[in-house]
Each structure stands twice: as structure tokens, then as C-alpha cells.
Amino acid sequence: MTEALSAEIDVLPEVRETLKRPQLLIIGDHEVAAHSGETFDTLNPSTGSLLARVAHADRDDVDDAVRIARAALEGSWRMVTASERGRLLNKLADLIDAQAGELAQLESLDNGTPVGVTRNGLLPGVAAHFRYFAGWADKIDGTTIDTGMPGMSVQLQREPVGVVAAIVPWNFPLTMATWKIAPALAAGCTVILKPAEQTPLTALALGRLALEAGIPPGVLQVLPGLGETAGAALVEHPGVDKIAFTGSVEVGQAISRVAVGTMKRVSLELGGKSPSIIMADADINLAIASAASGIFFNSGQVCSAGSRLLVQSSVFDDVINGIVGAAEQIRVGSAFDPATTMGPLISSEQVDRVSGYVELGRGDGGRVLTGGTATNPNGFYYQPTVVVDAPATSRIVREEIFGPVVVAQPFESIESLADKANDSPFGLAAAIFTRDARNSHHLSRILKAGSVWVNCYGYVHPAVPFGGFKMSGAGRDGGRESLDQYLETKAIWTNYAW
Ligand code: NAP
Ligand code: MG
């Protein structure tokens, strides 16, 4: 624990205790240092100060974890009945609820999301996700197929895919981890979680809670480390059957290329450049409020952020004024200041990346109507930013920024809109604001996006699949579809007339 934390930030005694303990790998039921003895630092983005030094997993640690995960898969975890798996996941959800205050503080210290948002907006969803998949655990069944062949019975059996490596980003650390872990464990898989290097602390807390819940050792192990060490070792390891990844397109592509060597199953939740579409007939106040939260929530560090604003020309000025007004209402500050409505970015690198895009946009003729500046030299802060007049070819319009920057473009008619909205390599999400059901039905059919929100933005639910078309990924988190990604189908042919 650093002086900066004790001086500035009011956290629960349990959180101080957690930060005082060594942050070690969770392998089997042990907390261990890395074989190499190496550590890496995790910082508090609200202050830029050191939060903790964390054990840095590498190949030897991955070897240990994979061996133990496989032993659990074929031993202790296989012996647990399906309904007992469900009970254990529910128990874990209960522990998450019971410790939601501490977990939220730890998460917000590590990633900068305002602590009230983490506590009230995100932690309940984490517990709910475990409960939803707990319900699936004993409802995984097979079927029989009538082939018409005399004396032949064909039975389909669903089996866990095996040892899963879950590799997740820093924007919603617990949520992203849970979206992989809950369906994987419900399916009977074992999981090795590699959190993002910026946010390892709640992943470790979750690993400890899983053991406390009674989930057998080796079923959920946690290996903090860097992408190029722990991450790459997991992806290359022949004992890993599946990679469940959320992160950038570049890393998703690199993982897929390596995984094909052993035909590992791969599911990918990648980036986006999602449009918020505002028609002239929309409830303009609702549209402004929703589109603003669609881009500025979590400082824009959301894969499904509404980072492109497409507004019908006749209401363009009114909407843009409204969005600028909403941006200027936002109080940017520490995740632990109750007045804060938008926290810092995750890192100084992310501030540089966001500023770089805004400068590129300016260079291409974009006008910055508000924001466009990094503030507060101590933490990693960037003002909510609205850009107009950038040409459609500009990188600020085409590429994912992952920050609080929205680029707005006018459109004339619904006919010209669909091409514009789909003119992106990504296809994660889209929102449509209109009072006309014909518009919303028509557009929601032709938009190439995994989620379409009509007169709202950003809803997710454990029962609803979430994921991308096109470069935004492959596979879905949430719902039955997510569970299926952790199961193999075996066809058993029995000749009973020999
Ligand atoms: P990232 O750089 O792709 O990292 C994601 C994870 O992959 C981290 O744990 C990272 O480790 C690890 N990694 C990096 N290189 C690796 C390698 N060669 N092999 C194996 N693992 C490797 O993404 P990020 O910058 O943390 O997160 C932002 C991105 O995530 C954005 O593009 C965003 O759109 C996407 N995202 C998508 C969704 C979705 O559901 N579609 C949700 C949230 C975020 P390190 O931490 O050490 O780099
Ligand atoms: Mg951190």
C-alpha cells in the first residue's frame, strides 16, 4: 500500500488489508509467487500512484496451472454433479453480493470507474451472471436422432470443451471475467483467468472467493501477467482446449493465428465503432441523454460505446448542442470523489492514444466543439469530447478510440443512412432513436451489429447474447449461445442389432 492511498482515499478496512497482502498467483488452492519471482506494478489511474506489486506469471506457471486444471477437469470437477455445480455458482454469487462493497472499491481503485457505478451498476450484474449460468448447469442435455437406419440408435451428448483460458481486458475487469467464467464452469470446464495487466486485483479476489465458495481447487485459477508472457503462453499451450478472449482486434487476430496450430476453440469479443442514429422524429431529449451516456459511460472505454453519432440534418444542430451540453455537465475526477460522474482513463498510454486521435481528427478538418484536452497531471484524465466536420475517411471516424470522444455526422434520409451506419469494419452495436416503428424495424434488420438498441443504449443482461458481427468478433457472451461455446457435441452411434 502506498502513502497516496492512505492519504487521499477513503476505503474499507478490508480493502486496505487486501492491498497489504502479497498479490500472488492462484494455482490449485495455493497462492504462490511466480517461478521467476518477477512482479509487475498496478497503478491507481485516479492518482497515478502504485497500488500493488503483483506476481507475474510466465511459461512455467502456466504449465503448472494447465496441469492442475486438467487434473481437476478429469477428476474432482467431473465428480461434482451438475446440480451441485449450479449450487456452487450460486454460492459464489452470494459471496460476491456479500462482499460487493469491498470488491467495488478494489475494482475502482484499479480501473478508475467511479466507485458508485461499480458498486451499484456493475457488481449486481456480476452476481446475476453467475446465478443465470448456475441455472443452466443441470439443464445441459442431449438428444436422440432418428436416422431411420434399422438397429441403430444415435444419441447426442454434450461435454465440456475442457481447459479454458479466459483472457480479458481492463475496462470492466470483473464483468468481462465473469462473462467467460460463469458459462464455462456451468458447462463443466475448468478455467485459467489471465486478467489485464492494468487490473489484476479483483481477478485475484474472485479466485479466492471461488475457493471459499467450495469450488474445487484447480477449477478456477488466476494468472496475472502480461499479454506477451502469461497470455501468449496460455494461447500456445497444447493443454488448453479453448481461448475465450475479450480485447482488441489485433490481439484477437494474433491469438487466432496461434490457436489454429492446435485447433483450440476460440471465441472473440473485440472492438467497435458503434453508431447512435438519431432520426428527426425522435424524442430529442431522450436521444441526447441516451447517446451521451452511450459514449461517455466509463470514460468511453466500452467496446460497444456509441462513438459515431449519425443525426438527421434537420435536427443536427439541436442534437449536437444537447450532446455538447451533456458533455459539459460531466464532472471528470477521481473514482473516489462522490461528485465525479466520469473517472480517469486507465493509463497515461490511453490518454496519449485518445489525444492522438483527436489531433488526427483536427488535422483532417474536424472541429472540436468541447473537450479535446487532457486534464490533471496526476491522474489519467481526459475531457468528454465532441467532434464535428471530420471527413468519413478520417481515422477518427473509422477507428476505435476507446475514450470519451464522439464524432458526429449528419445524414439526409433513411435511404442514405444504412450504408453510412454500416460503413465500418466493426459490427458490435448500434442504437436507433425514432418514434416511428417502421424506421426502427427497417433499420434494425439491415444494421450489421450484434446488439441493436431502440430508444435506449447499452443494455446487457445475462440471458441476452452479446457480441459482434464482422471485425467485432466471433461468438457471444450471455445466454444459451454462450453456454454452447463451452460444450462439445458427441454423436454416439449404437448398433443394437448385431
Ligand atoms: P488488448 O490489448 O487486446 O488486451 C486484452 C487482453 O489480452 C489483456 O489481458 C492482454 O494482456 C492480453 N494480451 C495482449 N497480448 C496478448 C497476446 N499476444 N497473447 C495473449 N494475450 C494477450 O485489449 P485492451 O487494450 O486491454 O482492451 C481494449 C480492447 O478490448 C478494445 O479494443 C475493446 O473494444 C475491447 N473490448 C471488447 C469487448 C467486447 O465484449 N467486445 C469488451 C471490452 C473490451 P495485457 O494486459 O498484458 O496487455
Ligand atoms: Mg491498475
Side-chain angles (χ1 to χ4, degrees):
M1 188 175 60
T2 62
E3 289 303 310
L5 180 60
S6 43
E8 292 168 21
I9 295 173
D10 184 22
V11 293
L12 293 163
E14 293 85 345
V15 174
R16 287 185 190 280
E17 286 309 307
T18 301
L19 289 172
K20 273 187 208 155
R21 62 190 292 163
Q23 305 296 326
L24 301 172
L25 317 177
I26 300 183
I27 296 191
D29 55 358
H30 294 292
E31 294 186 42
V32 295
H35 278 289
S36 66
E38 299 284 319
T39 61
F40 64 97
D41 294 345
T42 188
L43 307 182
N44 176 355
S46 294
T47 60
S49 59
L50 178 71
L51 272 177
R53 296 214 156 83
V54 182
H56 179 173
D58 206 338
R59 276 171 207 280
D60 292 343
D61 310 296
V62 167
D63 278 344
D64 289 349
V66 172
R67 198 178 55 251
I68 291 169
R70 184 148 301 279
L73 178 80
E74 287 162 9
S76 57
W77 195 223
R78 183 180 286 177
M79 302 311 289
V80 171
T81 62
S83 62
E84 176 67 3
R85 283 206 304 277
R87 196 192 64 77
L88 290 168
L89 290 178
N90 274 320
K91 174 77 180 152
L92 178 56
D94 292 344
L95 291 176
I96 290 166
D97 276 342
Q99 299 191 19
E102 292 114 271
L103 287 168
Q105 291 188 349
L106 200 58
E107 180 109 316
S108 286
L109 282 172
D110 218 3
N111 86 333
T113 300
V115 67
V117 174
T118 308
R119 172 67 188 83
N120 302 317
L122 299 170
L123 260 296
V126 170
H129 214 85
F130 277 110
R131 290 203 175 91
Y132 171 79
F133 282 101
W136 271 117
D138 62 359
K139 292 163 197 73
I140 299 168
D141 51 19
T143 177
T144 58
I145 297 178
D146 181 1
T147 60
M149 296 163 74
M152 185 67 79
S153 141
V154 178
Q155 175 200 343
L156 300 186
Q157 186 166 299
R158 313 291 323 269
E159 296 183 3
V161 74
V163 175
V164 174
I167 302 178
V168 297
W170 39 258
N171 56 345
F172 300 108
L174 268 178
T175 305
M176 295 294 104
T178 298
W179 285 12
K180 317 297 187 197
I181 295 166
L185 297 193
C189 294
T190 55
V191 176
I192 302 169
L193 170 64
K194 207 296 280 177
E197 66 188 75
Q198 295 89 346
T199 54
L201 298 178
T202 49
L204 291 170
L206 184 66
R208 292 190 289 266
L209 283 185
L211 288 168
E212 191 182 330
I215 293 175
V219 172
L220 174 60
Q221 303 178 91
V222 186
L223 295 187
L226 306 193
E228 57 268 29
T229 54
L234 283 165
V235 175
E236 286 162 25
H237 202 293
V240 171
D241 301 295
K242 177 185 161 77
I243 309 289
F245 174 77
T246 295
S248 61
V249 171
E250 298 69 34
V251 174
Q253 288 171 323
I255 286 176
S256 300
R257 277 192 287 269
V258 176
V260 81
T262 54
M263 258 342 144
K264 286 184 178 60
R265 278 61 182 130
V266 178
S267 53
L268 304 167
E269 299 289 355
L270 307 176
K273 191 77 178 176
S274 301
S276 279
I277 298 164
I278 303 180
M279 312 284 302
D281 66 14
D283 177 328
I284 297 293
N285 291 332
L286 170 77
I288 289 169
S290 304
S293 80
I295 179 61
F296 298 130
F297 179 64
N298 211 39
S299 312
Q301 303 169 121
V302 182
C303 49
S304 54
S307 49
R308 287 188 295 147
L309 196 56
L310 297 175
V311 187
Q312 202 154 16
S313 305
S314 57
V315 292
F316 188 80
D317 289 345
D318 287 349
V319 169
I320 299 309
N321 286 338
I323 299 276
V324 167
E328 291 175 351
Q329 292 286 310
I330 290 172
R331 292 278 303 267
V332 178
S334 162
F336 285 79
D337 178 345
T340 292
T341 53
M342 191 173 106
L345 303 187
I346 189 68
S347 61
S348 62
E349 290 79 16
Q350 194 66 10
V351 174
D352 292 344
R353 176 185 158 95
V354 174
S355 331
Y357 271 110
V358 172
E359 292 322 308
L360 268 174
R362 280 194 169 111
D364 289 343
R367 275 192 303 129
V368 175
L369 298 184
T370 187
T373 47
T375 49
N376 185 336
N378 298 322
F380 309 134
Y381 297 95
Y382 198 87
Q383 288 298 317
T385 300
V386 180
V387 180
V388 293
D389 294 346
T393 51
S394 174
R395 288 178 58 196
I396 198 176
V397 178
R398 302 201 64 79
E399 296 180 14
E400 180 176 55
I401 300 174
F402 226 56
V405 179
V406 68
V407 286
Q409 299 168 285
F411 68 89
E412 294 302 327
S413 65
I414 191 163
E415 289 74 30
S416 65
L417 169 63
D419 285 347
K420 217 172 191 153
N422 285 331
D423 179 20
S424 166
F426 296 109
L428 192 56
I432 306 161
F433 296 91
T434 178
R435 285 195 173 93
D436 188 331
R438 289 168 303 181
N439 290 341
S440 66
H441 280 277
H442 172 65
L443 283 173
S444 47
R445 273 165 201 271
I446 58 182
L447 285 170
K448 300 212 181 314
S451 297
V452 177
W453 292 297
V454 179
N455 293 322
C456 60
Y457 205 99
Y459 283 87
V460 290
H461 185 278
V464 182
F466 177 89
F469 285 27
K470 302 199 277 184
M471 297 282 276
S472 292
R476 294 292 181 271
D477 285 325
R480 172 76 204 229
E481 270 194 62
S482 172
L483 186 76
D484 286 341
Q485 293 171 168
Y486 298 92
L487 293 166
E488 292 278 15
T489 300
K490 181 180 284 174
I492 302 170
W493 296 73
T494 304
N495 170 7
Y496 61 88
W498 77 91

